[in-house]
Amino acid sequence: MDFNADLQARVCAVEEVIKKYLPKEEGFQKSLLEAMNYSFLAGGKRLRPLLMRECYRMFGGRGEVIEPFMAAQEMIHTYSLVHDDLPAMDNDLYRRGRKTTHAVYGEAMAILAGDGLLNLAFETACRAFSLGGQASERETKRERGAERIGGAMTILAKKAGISGMIGGQAVDVEAEKRKLRLDGEKLLFIHEHKTAALIQSAMMIGAYLAGADKESVAKMEKAGYAIGIAFQIQDDILDITSTLEELGKPVGSDEKNDKLTYVSVYGLERSKQDVEKLSREALEILRDVPERNEFLEELVVSLINRKK
Amino acid sequence: MDFNADLQARVCAVEEVIKKYLPKEEGFQKSLLEAMNYSFLAGGKRLRPLLMRECYRMFGGRGEVIEPFMAAQEMIHTYSLVHDDLPAMDNDLYRRGRKTTHAVYGEAMAILAGDGLLNLAFETACRAFSLGGQASERETKRERGAERIGGAMTILAKKAGISGMIGGQAVDVEAEKRKLRLDGEKLLFIHEHKTAALIQSAMMIGAYLAGADKESVAKMEKAGYAIGIAFQIQDDILDITSTLEELGKPVGSDEKNDKLTYVSVYGLERSKQDVEKLSREALEILRDVPERNEFLEELVVSLINRKK
């Protein structure tokens, strides 16, 4: 099977898994649940749960315990987009060629839908406790499973929180509102926290739940950093080089908002070189594991060379 | 010691505990952390962590595992107020006589501060895993501890989420925006989810982490329901009978927003009677435990008879 067909099949399989954890649209709070599902089902590459599953497999994980975490990770990603699009934030009416959540359901419901998705992420991850981890047949192992799930939950929360994604988001928002000139250090902080943190989280949780040791989890954190930063720089590059048809959102929306990007700080050429360098670093780490995952390696390459 | 002095001392002790879990205001994301701490330290009765701790004690809990959960529960309560006050929601500039978070830090930062507090709640609860539960001396018990902490985390997430507080919040917001006439059923749904859910959560987690059995945890859920609904009806009553000086927010702010309340549906007399009835129900449950907690009983009475 060629890579693109393989990728499509695996993304489909990931979709199947994560959709199972969406709420039924019923009860007095039906509109809220609709708004949440609308946001979650707006498409997207499902990159984070895919990376999580592939890292889990790379370290020998074969159980179901990873599944609620895959859904949880994607819920966190989704909520961040819903809140990011709000009028008080980026004020975007379209994303991936589709109306954003607040454009359809109103601002108040979009705030609540984001809150609902963030909360549901942890509620969903908690469902791993009843799956009992990798070894559910023996009591002691089952209990060790609970501790491991707790550890995975800690990674999930930290990388999404004030020392992770929200931290980066806050610095980004503040810089924009105050029209601050960003230096390279602050810009890298934003990219590391706003974008790389959830990639790191996905890869680390995959390894951790498969039973990988501390050192291997730390390696995934490094690889996730390189992939995340490369991915974000590529995003910045695409923002000025793409067209509406290709990307599904207005061209140069970052520029429209006077947003400083990696490209505007370092220039297009240096940005492209750094993307290459970071991808090499990530691949070196991924090739230095007991059992290589060739699909994962190809995925990383394709992310870096993507045109949309 | 009389009840009020005792209450004050215990609230102070609770304050001490929960403040330990606040982030240091440092790093590039300093403004975010300031906004979060500003919100968290805006006062308030600390009712939920207090109820949690007292229920924990009532069921014989003596460990530290309850502490991160006390902080987490209050963070969830705080974030809900921050988002509730936003311009797109209730649009309140003052709460407890103090400027609301968005009035001080701007709308974007208030959204992120709320997100940050919700995420930090789960990150904080995760810290209980490294405390290891009640019995940290023996390996098997330590591991059983992890499973128990997972169970407490599940209660925390469920009661705060789409089947709990956020669910109630969404129904409330939708009813207001569309100026829907609320019937008694829908109004009770809102009160149960928006207000009672976090009281239930606090009491259930307290019992659960102390090692209480399922039946006892279910009793705490019932008591929490009665206390929560009574508390909310009392809030509705106070909203029309209080003055700005006493309450720290404009009188009749619910009426200003054309908000339907228990009082506007059932009238003042019936509302007062229901508060009494619910408080009796709660007290009956709290008196039917192996080891009574008289302070907790008095606290419930004082909540119902409060004048602000």
Side-chain angles (χ1 to χ4, degrees), chain B residues 91-109:
Chain B
N91 196 17
D92 276 321
L93 288 170
Y94 287 88
R95 176 179 288 274
R96 298 173 191 141
R98 216 163 160 249
K99 279 195 172 176
T100 50
T101 308
H102 69 91
V104 177
Y105 294 92
E107 210 178 327
M109 200 53 90

Side-chain angles (χ1 to χ4, degrees), chain A residues 103-164:
Chain A
V104 178
Y105 294 92
E107 208 178 327
M109 199 53 89
I111 293 168
L112 289 173
D115 294 347
L117 282 163
L118 174 56
N119 195 99
L120 188 61
F122 290 103
E123 195 177 334
T124 300
C126 279
R127 290 171 68 174
F129 286 110
S130 51
L131 290 173
Q134 278 228 289
S136 55
E137 51 290 331
R138 280 182 50 208
E139 178 72 355
T140 46
K141 283 215 177 168
R142 187 167 69 85
E143 288 170 350
R144 205 168 307 143
E147 250 182 285
R148 195 158 276 278
I149 291 162
M153 191 106 60
T154 305
I155 297 171
L156 186 73
K158 279 199 171 159
K159 289 294 181 185
I162 53 176
S163 318

Side-chain angles (χ1 to χ4, degrees), chain A residues 9-129:
Chain A
R10 287 180 201 235
V11 170
C12 271
V14 166
E15 286 269 354
E16 280 304 301
V17 167
I18 61 182
K19 275 181 182 172
K20 284 190 302 189
Y21 293 91
L22 290 179
K24 280 197 192 130
E25 296 171 2
E26 59 188 20
F28 284 135
Q29 67 275 57
K30 196 166 178 276
S31 305
L32 170 75
L33 307 175
E34 282 174 9
M36 289 166 63
N37 290 347
Y38 173 85
S39 317
F40 193 86
L41 297 173
K45 296 171 284 284
R46 308 306 187 194
L47 177 62
R48 291 151 197 82
L50 181 62
L51 284 171
M52 189 185 283
R53 185 181 238 185
E54 294 303 328
C55 285
Y56 183 66
R57 286 175 174 167
M58 185 165 69
F59 285 97
R62 294 291 178 268
E64 290 177 346
V65 68
I66 197 71
E67 297 192 350
F69 278 94
M70 290 164 61
Q73 190 72 77
E74 188 69 1
M75 286 170 189
I76 289 177
H77 172 58
T78 305
Y79 112 80
S80 78
L81 301 181
V82 172
H83 280 187
D84 204 26
D85 288 334
L86 285 169
M89 311 278 276
D90 280 358
N91 195 19
D92 275 321
L93 287 170
Y94 288 89
R95 178 179 287 274
R96 299 174 190 139
R98 219 165 156 245
K99 279 194 172 175
T100 49
T101 308
H102 69 91
V104 178
Y105 294 92
E107 208 178 327
M109 199 53 89
I111 293 168
L112 289 173
D115 294 347
L117 282 163
L118 174 56
N119 195 99
L120 188 61
F122 290 103
E123 195 177 334
T124 300
C126 279
R127 290 171 68 174
F129 286 110

Side-chain angles (χ1 to χ4, degrees), chain A residues 167-205:
Chain A
Q169 185 76 314
V171 178
D172 193 20
V173 160
E174 200 177 18
E176 275 177 68
K177 298 279 163 196
R178 300 201 187 163
K179 306 265 178 240
L180 298 178
R181 292 302 298 176
L182 286 178
D183 54 22
E185 196 196 357
K186 210 169 203 173
L187 186 72
L188 213 56
F189 178 95
I190 293 173
H191 284 356
E192 177 183 349
H193 292 80
K194 197 174 160 177
T195 306
L198 292 197
I199 309 271
Q200 293 177 308
S201 171
M203 296 181 71
M204 290 166 76
I205 289 172

Side-chain angles (χ1 to χ4, degrees), chain A residues 31 83 115 119 142 157 174, chain B residues 29 31 83 115 119 147 157 174:
Chain A
S31 305
H83 280 187
D115 294 347
N119 195 99
R142 187 167 69 85
E174 200 177 18
Chain B
Q29 68 274 58
S31 305
H83 280 187
D115 295 347
N119 195 100
E147 251 183 284
E174 200 177 19

Side-chain angles (χ1 to χ4, degrees), chain B:
Chain B
M1 207 186 325
D2 82 324
F3 171 72
N4 279 324
D6 194 8
L7 173 64
Q8 215 182 339
R10 287 179 201 236
V11 170
C12 271
V14 166
E15 287 269 356
E16 280 303 300
V17 167
I18 61 181
K19 274 181 182 172
K20 283 191 301 188
Y21 293 91
L22 290 180
K24 279 196 193 131
E25 297 171 2
E26 60 188 18
F28 284 136
Q29 68 274 58
K30 195 167 179 273
S31 305
L32 171 75
L33 307 175
E34 281 174 9
M36 288 166 64
N37 290 348
Y38 173 85
S39 317
F40 193 88
L41 296 173
K45 295 170 285 283
R46 309 303 187 195
L47 177 61
R48 291 151 197 83
L50 181 63
L51 283 171
M52 188 184 284
R53 184 180 239 185
E54 293 304 328
C55 286
Y56 183 66
R57 287 176 174 168
M58 184 167 67
F59 285 97
R62 296 290 177 267
E64 289 177 346
V65 69
I66 197 70
E67 297 192 351
F69 277 93
M70 290 164 62
Q73 190 71 76
E74 188 71 1
M75 285 170 191
I76 289 177
H77 172 59
T78 305
Y79 111 80
S80 78
L81 301 181
V82 172
H83 280 187
D84 204 27
D85 288 334
L86 285 168
M89 310 280 276
D90 280 359
N91 196 17
D92 276 321
L93 288 170
Y94 287 88
R95 176 179 288 274
R96 298 173 191 141
R98 216 163 160 249
K99 279 195 172 176
T100 50
T101 308
H102 69 91
V104 177
Y105 294 92
E107 210 178 327
M109 200 53 90
I111 293 169
L112 289 173
D115 295 347
L117 283 162
L118 174 55
N119 195 100
L120 188 61
F122 290 102
E123 196 177 334
T124 301
C126 278
R127 290 171 69 173
F129 286 109
S130 51
L131 289 174
Q134 278 228 287
S136 56
E137 51 288 333
R138 280 182 51 207
E139 178 73 354
T140 47
K141 283 215 178 168
R142 187 166 67 87
E143 288 169 350
R144 204 168 307 144
E147 251 183 284
R148 194 158 277 276
I149 290 162
M153 190 106 59
T154 306
I155 297 171
L156 186 73
K158 278 199 173 158
K159 289 294 182 186
I162 55 177
S163 316
M165 187 190 66
I166 298 171
Q169 185 76 313
V171 177
D172 194 19
V173 161
E174 200 177 19
E176 275 176 69
K177 297 279 162 194
R178 299 199 186 164
K179 305 266 177 238
L180 299 176
R181 292 300 298 175
L182 287 178
D183 55 20
E185 198 195 355
K186 211 168 203 174
L187 186 72
L188 213 55
F189 178 95
I190 293 173
H191 283 357
E192 178 184 348
H193 292 80
K194 197 176 159 175
T195 307
L198 292 197
I199 309 270
Q200 293 177 307
S201 172
M203 296 180 71
M204 290 166 77
I205 289 172
Y208 187 84
L209 282 178
D213 57 18
K214 264 189 180 176
E215 202 182 285
S216 301
V217 175
K219 276 185 184 172
M220 289 306 104
E221 189 171 24
K222 268 193 171 172
Y225 175 86
I227 296 168
I229 302 286
F231 185 84
Q232 182 58 53
I233 300 175
Q234 186 69 2
D235 212 54
D236 292 348
I237 293 171
L238 290 171
D239 189 74
I240 27 173
T241 57
S242 290
T243 67
L244 177 58
E245 283 76 18
E246 284 176 40
L247 212 57
K249 64 177 181 180
V251 193
S253 67
D254 290 341
E255 252 179 15
K256 181 192 73 188
N257 298 329
D258 278 330
K259 192 167 173 171
L260 270 164
T261 68
Y262 204 86
V263 180
S264 67
V265 173
Y266 294 104
L268 198 56
E269 273 321 297
R270 160 80 188 272
S271 299
K272 285 180 177 174
Q273 284 162 15
D274 285 352
V275 167
E276 281 304 325
K277 186 171 153 282
L278 287 161
S279 82
R280 270 199 309 277
E281 282 173 23
L283 287 172
E284 267 169 39
I285 296 171
L286 293 181
R287 281 168 189 153
D288 184 29
V289 291
E291 222 179 313
R292 282 173 61 174
N293 179 334
E294 280 174 29
F295 170 77
L296 181 57
E297 293 171 29
E298 277 194 87
L299 175 63
V300 168
V301 173
S302 81
L303 284 172
I304 275 103
N305 296 319
R306 78 191 196 282
K307 293 286 172 277
K308 59 180 178 177

